[in-house]
Amino acid sequence: MNAFPSAPQLPTLQPLRIGNVPIDFPIVQAALSGYSDLPMRLLARRHGAGYAICEVMLDQFLLAVKKRQKTKHFLTIHPDEAPVGGQLMGAEPEQFAAGALRLVEAGFDVIDINFGCPVKKVLGRCRGGFHLSQPAVAIEIIRRTRDMVPDHIPVTVKMRRGIDDTQQSRDQFFEILDGGFDAGIAAVTVHGRTVEQRYIGPSRWEFLREVKQHIGPDRVVLGSGDLFRAEDCLRMIAETGIDGVTVARGAIGNPWIFAQARALAEGRPLPPPPTLHQQADVMRQHFDLCEQTYGEDRAPLLMRKFCIKYTASHPRMDEVRSSFTRMRSREAFDAALAQHYTEDAPGQYPPREVHRTQSEG
């Protein structure tokens, strides 16, 4: 890819509107399966994300979920995180629409339909990215969802650029895109990889430019794929003309990416990576939120994967990571911070290669 554009080429970022929902900054936290729960979303918002989307939920799960301690967190929204999107995935149009209504009842401000997940078990059950191979069913899901959801709640769609790189797949993508806007979606998020690619190979940002040119200036397009640094976010907007971007793997253990992007968008220098004391402070906030959300018993195991990602900002990343890989208690967490974060020092920007294994839709 080209180098990050010099200052005169930086785009002037405008606030977004997704339907009637205002988004003050067009760089947002994407839905990430197994990650973008309440604690991660709230920290992203506190660090400057204009909007955040919950981890994807199955329609069948939503129709069955009860307000038990073990599952109620899926539908819990913090007062400080609005606006927040609820992402939904399923197979059958009627059940899909009913699941969307559960998200509305829970208080989500936007309902996002997942037609992008490339995970094999999801595809095998005719969900996620599988729908890109069947435009009629995909459009019916959108129509039924839009009909079920109250008019004041926007409905959006997340897509990849197709099942594969065949002409048929391309035609199906644009059939669903056009049909979705005809059915009343308020915005589309497009990932620049195919379903077949999963997370391998570069994301084709030039395809995002095609999509924006196809649907015109009055319809909202957000982009996704290979956004691991703040400058990547602004560069994607500058190179493609899209309206905003959703940061997925690049935000795991790195909520600072949003504040860094805001600084660049305002013409200020790129802020330095957070110091070790700043990192430790945010990690403690994250652990506290995790305990409040899941309870003290479950929080340590759930925090382990996040702590491992936070270590990417530590200059001794590999050494520090090993202190969290077997973490099973708050005491072990505190001990790791005491060992590696007590003495303050400059941090580092996370190496790009650490992001290659997480799942995004």
Side-chain angles (χ1 to χ4, degrees):
M1 293 181 179
N2 297 329
F4 182 60
S6 58
Q9 297 173 299
L10 288 175
T12 300
L13 300 190
Q14 301 295 328
L16 290 174
R17 289 194 73 85
I18 298 179
N20 64 351
V21 176
I23 309 294
D24 78 315
F25 186 60
I27 297 176
V28 307
Q29 169 67 68
L32 270 161
S33 189
Y35 285 91
S36 56
D37 58 359
L38 184 153
M40 182 177 179
R41 297 193 310 264
L42 186 57
L43 285 170
R45 294 283 281 126
R46 286 176 176 174
H47 283 81
Y51 167 62
I53 308 172
C54 74
E55 54 186 314
V56 65
M57 288 181 266
L58 288 176
D59 52 6
Q60 292 177 345
F61 168 79
L62 284 168
L63 295 177
V65 68
K66 306 296 182 184
K67 292 185 177 180
R68 295 185 296 118
Q69 181 67 33
K70 194 169 183 179
T71 56
K72 69 177 185 178
H73 65 273
F74 285 103
L75 297 178
T76 300
I77 298 170
H78 193 281
D80 295 341
E81 65 171 319
V84 58
Q87 191 179 87
L88 183 64
M89 182 166 63
E92 300 296 332
E94 184 174 351
Q95 191 165 258
F96 206 110
L101 192 56
R102 287 298 304 274
L103 292 176
V104 172
E105 292 167 350
F108 288 95
D109 300 287
V110 178
I111 305 303
D112 189 51
I113 297 172
N114 184 310
F115 288 161
C117 183
V119 176
K120 285 185 179 180
K121 68 179 180 181
V122 170
L123 302 177
R125 293 172 181 168
C126 304
R127 298 168 177 156
F130 179 85
H131 289 300
L132 297 179
S133 69
Q134 48 178 11
V137 174
I139 294 169
E140 182 65 12
I141 285 173
I142 295 170
R143 285 179 177 152
R144 289 202 182 206
T145 302
R146 180 64 278 177
D147 288 345
M148 179 72 78
V149 171
D151 290 345
H152 70 281
I153 303 289
V155 174
T156 60
V157 175
K158 168 68 183 291
M159 303 169 69
R160 284 184 170 237
R161 73 169 195 264
I163 290 289
D164 52 34
D165 277 322
T166 63
Q167 183 61 45
Q168 179 185 23
S169 181
R170 177 185 171 85
D171 292 345
Q172 290 170 333
F173 173 93
F174 283 102
E175 183 179 351
I176 296 168
L177 180 71
D178 292 340
F181 276 104
D182 289 345
I185 63 170
V188 62
T189 299
V190 180
H191 189 294
R193 291 187 181 89
T194 65
V195 172
E196 189 178 73
Q197 272 186 278
R198 299 188 71 201
Y199 309 105
I200 299 170
S203 175
R204 288 193 186 172
W205 291 9
E206 64 271 19
F207 184 77
L208 306 179
R209 185 186 309 113
E210 287 186 59
V211 172
K212 183 59 182 175
Q213 291 173 346
H214 176 84
I215 68 170
D218 297 328
R219 289 172 167 173
V220 175
V221 180
L222 297 118
S224 178
D226 290 345
L227 300 174
F228 300 131
R229 298 281 178 87
E231 53 265 41
D232 297 336
C233 301
L234 274 73
R235 187 160 54 83
M236 177 182 273
I237 295 172
E239 291 183 6
T240 66
I242 57 175
D243 304 285
V245 300
T246 66
V247 186
R249 291 174 291 165
I252 302 173
N254 185 27
W256 302 280
I257 192 172
F258 300 106
Q260 292 163 359
R262 280 188 182 258
L264 290 176
E266 293 167 2
R268 294 183 281 124
L270 178 68
T275 68
L276 299 194
H277 280 183
Q278 290 170 331
Q279 292 173 41
D281 180 59
V282 170
M283 292 168 74
R284 289 190 188 97
Q285 291 179 44
H286 198 152
F287 206 118
D288 290 344
L289 286 167
C290 199
E291 286 184 330
Q292 294 163 21
T293 303
Y294 301 102
E296 293 183 0
D297 292 339
R298 297 181 65 200
L301 291 180
L302 293 170
M303 272 299 296
R304 182 190 292 168
K305 62 189 175 185
F306 287 105
C307 289
I308 289 170
K309 285 301 177 186
Y310 276 115
T311 65
S313 295
H314 198 293
R316 301 192 310 276
M317 176 179 66
D318 293 336
E319 174 191 342
V320 179
R321 182 188 293 125
S322 64
S323 297
F324 291 107
T325 54
R326 293 181 178 85
M327 184 182 76
R328 301 182 66 87
S329 67
R330 181 73 191 236
E331 291 74 20
F333 170 78
D334 290 336
L337 291 189
Q339 180 180 359
H340 299 292
Y341 294 85
T342 295
E343 184 176 344
D344 202 10
Q348 66 175 10
Y349 298 113
R352 292 178 184 272
E353 60 268 18
V354 305
H355 302 290
R356 301 301 179 186
T357 59
Q358 269 61 53
S359 297
E360 61 189 277

